[in-house]
Amino acid sequence: MKKSSFKSPLTRLATVALFGLLAMGACKSKKKVVEAAPAPAPVEETTPAPAPAAPSADEVAVGKLENYFSTIANASSVQSANSSIQEALSMFSNQNTPVLIVIHEENGIKDYDEPTTIVKYLNYLKDTKKNLNFISDIRLDGSGKITELELRRR
């Protein structure tokens, strides 16, 4: 008669240990698979993007005025330049609105060129056909008319 090899205590212990290791190994691998699987992302409600902020009155006035400056400087005739000057003047509180041109600034202290008026400045643009300055500061009154203009060299 053949002896069953399973009856030996050492063989039984080795077999049980082998099954135990396999079972533990299988549990660990299942656990890893479960942990590795990402949780489904929650469905987010899409909110519409906020509407862009409306430009301020200052920004609108600067845009229009810069356009007028370019149009006057690049006018093909004196009549078209004069027409553009009249349109631009409608944006100002009066024809003697001061125009200050910053020629130098250091430590917050500004040096200005000789003050002029908007009428003189617009005619200067018409005569020289060069728009060398940009608007750095603008002041408006309660009705949206320009009361002071500060320019800088480009």
Side-chain angles (χ1 to χ4, degrees):
M1 245 183 87
K2 257 185 174 181
K3 255 188 174 177
S4 171
S5 61
F6 191 67
K7 292 197 178 201
S8 155
L10 190 59
T11 309
R12 270 193 228 156
L13 184 63
T15 307
V16 170
L18 181 65
F19 283 122
L21 286 174
L22 288 174
M24 288 175 57
C27 289
K28 285 183 181 176
S29 64
K30 285 181 183 177
K31 191 179 259 187
K32 286 181 183 175
V33 170
V34 169
E35 288 174 5
V43 178
E44 294 181 21
E45 294 181 24
T46 55
T47 56
S56 68
D58 290 356
E59 292 169 336
V60 171
V62 166
K64 284 182 182 180
L65 201 52
E66 288 283 356
N67 189 30
Y68 280 126
F69 287 172
S70 295
T71 302
I72 292 166
N74 300 320
S76 58
S77 68
V78 174
Q79 280 103 359
S80 65
N82 286 336
S83 173
S84 295
I85 288 172
Q86 291 306 313
E87 288 177 28
L89 287 174
S90 68
M91 295 179 65
F92 291 87
S93 60
N94 63 51
Q95 292 188 355
N96 294 322
T97 298
V99 176
L100 305 171
I101 302 171
V102 178
I103 56 175
H104 182 74
E105 181 176 3
E106 189 173 327
N107 298 327
I109 299 171
K110 297 176 184 177
D111 290 329
Y112 296 99
D113 197 0
E114 181 181 343
T116 188
T117 63
I118 190 59
V119 169
K120 290 179 184 177
Y121 184 73
L122 294 174
N123 283 312
Y124 168 80
L125 289 176
K126 176 180 72 172
D127 295 340
T128 61
K129 297 201 174 285
K130 293 180 184 177
N131 185 14
L132 301 176
N133 301 312
F134 68 93
I135 299 170
S136 66
D137 191 24
I138 191 168
R139 302 237 167 82
L140 303 175
D141 63 9
S143 63
K145 299 283 187 174
I146 301 169
T147 58
E148 187 178 306
L149 189 62
E150 184 177 278
L151 306 174
R152 289 182 187 263
R153 287 269 182 195
R154 291 190 193 269

